[in-house]
Amino acid sequence: MSGAPRTGRAASCWTCHDCRLLCRVPAGAAHAARCPRCGAPLHARKPGSLERTWALVIAAALCYLPANLLPIMTVTSLGKAQSDTIMSGVVYLLHHGMWPLALVVFVASIFVPILKLVILVFLLVSVRRRSRWRPAERTRLYRVTEAIGRWSMVDIFVVTILVALVRLGALATIEARSGAVFFGAVVVLTMIAAESFDPRLIWDGCEEAEA
């Protein structure tokens, strides 16, 4: 039993990325292997996972600054217009005693996006360095990044709903501004980056060290 393969990849068993069927890949047929159930190409790991994830993370980081520096919406009331960034919105809510809502906006719109970027960069660097440090904990970090991604869209939902509902003619209007576009780009890019990252790469360094 000591010579038995310890992982699916060592046993030439790959998981289809589309239908999740576990397939045994014949020796010498790795480059042309296809899933017998859905016909999708089979790969031991997502092709170009690290390069694609790096590109998406860098793009998201570049969009993060204008997302927080540019106004996310402009409120016009009785002829007076006021533009707000995400942070000025948080400060406004705090000054008016709505700290639970301010906390939700701060966590969802400022803390969570930067946390996702930091975790993804950490995972990418650790995989590139073939780190064997706590692979189970790093895999949990990846799962957390996947799970919290959708909750970063709170601001976009709020702005969209307000723009759609507040149409009171000359009395009050709300318009989405360029900061909302950059913020939406950050959320979408980080979600795609998390999807592009292959968490099995975390375990490859340990597997190679034990081989």
Side-chain angles (χ1 to χ4, degrees):
M1 294 297 292
S2 59
R6 299 184 57 186
T7 65
R9 189 173 66 159
S12 298
C13 291
W14 298 354
T15 303
C16 175
H17 296 304
D18 289 353
C19 70
R20 303 299 180 187
L21 178 68
L22 184 64
C23 310
R24 182 176 292 279
V25 179
H31 295 294
R34 288 187 172 274
C35 174
R37 183 161 67 182
C38 69
L42 291 175
H43 304 284
R45 298 291 181 262
K46 292 180 181 177
S49 173
L50 291 183
E51 293 80 2
R52 190 165 52 250
T53 307
W54 266 118
L56 291 165
V57 166
I58 292 171
L62 292 176
C63 290
Y64 184 80
L65 284 178
N68 284 278
L69 296 176
L70 296 176
I72 194 169
M73 66 179 182
T74 297
V75 180
T76 303
S77 178
L78 300 176
K80 183 181 179 182
Q82 179 177 346
S83 298
D84 282 299
T85 63
I86 295 175
M87 197 62 201
S88 68
V90 172
V91 173
Y92 176 86
L93 293 172
L94 279 175
H95 284 170
H96 288 75
M98 294 180 281
W99 65 265
L101 187 56
L103 182 63
V104 169
V105 174
F106 177 81
V107 170
S109 303
I110 297 177
F111 180 71
V112 168
I114 197 68
L115 177 66
K116 287 164 56 181
L117 288 173
V118 170
I119 291 176
L120 285 171
V121 169
F122 169 69
L123 293 176
L124 287 166
V125 171
S126 68
V127 167
R128 180 66 71 184
R129 294 171 60 88
R130 297 289 181 188
S131 172
R132 288 178 289 161
W133 183 79
R134 298 189 175 186
E137 284 76 7
R138 283 186 285 148
T139 303
R140 291 192 191 101
L141 273 178
Y142 170 73
R143 298 300 178 202
V144 168
T145 304
E146 268 195 324
I148 63 177
R150 70 201 69 173
W151 299 105
S152 300
M153 294 295 282
V154 170
D155 267 11
I156 299 300
F157 290 150
V158 170
V159 172
T160 303
I161 291 171
L162 288 175
V163 170
L165 294 180
V166 182
R167 291 291 183 187
L168 301 179
L171 294 179
T173 58
I174 296 180
E175 295 180 357
R177 309 300 291 180
S178 54
V181 177
F182 283 105
F183 183 78
V186 171
V187 175
V188 172
L189 287 170
T190 52
M191 289 175 70
I192 299 175
E195 184 64 27
S196 298
F197 183 77
D198 193 335
R200 293 172 296 184
L201 295 171
I202 295 172
W203 297 89
D204 285 351
C206 303
E207 181 184 339
E208 291 169 4
E210 295 172 358

